Amino acid sequence: MTHVWEDVTLHNSSLPPLAIKNPECLGLLHQLDRSTDMWVQHYCILKDGCLYFYAGIRSTRASGGLYLQGYRVNEQTLSFKQSVIELKPPSEEFKTFYFCAENKAENQRWITALKASIKKWLPLHQAIQDFMNRPLEETRM
């Protein structure tokens, strides 16, 4: 049995980038390819906790995607790039990703959007814990 978000993500990845409705962020990002130590440019769309990668703005479908639930977003300095976006996974079994935009202001725009997108999708146990920690008067119906 698949989760509804898997269906939505599969559907979104089959769309051209500008056909995805109400993206949280979009634009060019460079991703560090750790095997070659080279930066690869992608046109990216952030939507509902998933980052979709396209070869370019005119692509007909995504070339890849990254589920962001549980990832932490940090700003790092890496090699010659002044400011790099680090996406750190919830456990060591997953890969850490590094991205950079064209300039520091664009990096900040992406960092803000990535953090907000990830925060929207709290794990159920964390949402319940947050609810249980609220004052009693806020939890009454």
Side-chain angles (χ1 to χ4, degrees):
M1 187 168 142
T2 61
H3 192 281
V4 67
W5 289 114
E6 290 177 39
D7 294 336
V8 169
T9 302
L10 187 59
H11 171 73
N12 283 345
S13 66
S14 70
L15 297 173
L18 299 181
I20 295 179
K21 302 270 191 256
N22 303 315
E24 295 157 352
C25 199
L26 55 87
L28 292 175
L29 283 177
H30 302 269
Q31 179 185 4
L32 178 61
D33 180 340
R34 303 286 279 192
S35 64
T36 62
D37 212 25
M38 303 270 299
W39 292 90
V40 180
Q41 181 175 284
H42 300 283
Y43 187 81
C44 296
I45 301 282
L46 177 64
K47 174 75 175 171
D48 294 333
C50 189
L51 186 62
Y52 300 93
F53 305 104
Y54 295 86
I57 196 168
R58 289 179 173 68
S59 297
T60 57
R61 60 180 298 118
S63 57
L66 176 61
Y67 291 104
L68 298 171
Q69 186 172 2
Y71 274 77
R72 290 188 323 271
V73 182
N74 302 302
E75 186 174 15
Q76 298 288 335
T77 302
L78 195 65
S79 69
F80 68 93
K81 299 283 184 185
Q82 290 181 333
S83 177
V84 174
I85 303 164
E86 178 188 61
L87 293 177
K88 194 127 179 91
S91 74
E92 294 301 316
E93 66 188 282
F94 300 107
K95 185 175 159 185
T96 298
F97 294 91
Y98 296 94
F99 296 94
C100 66
E102 296 299 316
N103 56 54
K104 191 164 180 63
E106 279 294 292
N107 265 7
Q108 287 304 315
R109 181 176 73 90
W110 275 101
I111 288 169
T112 300
L114 287 161
K115 285 181 177 180
S117 188
I118 293 167
K119 190 176 180 180
K120 281 195 322 188
W121 303 105
L122 291 177
L124 180 60
H125 71 277
Q126 187 176 346
I128 291 170
Q129 186 65 42
D130 290 352
F131 178 79
M132 297 303 286
N133 288 336
R134 291 169 57 193
L136 184 59
E137 58 273 4
E138 289 182 23
T139 60
R140 287 197 183 128
M141 298 199 161

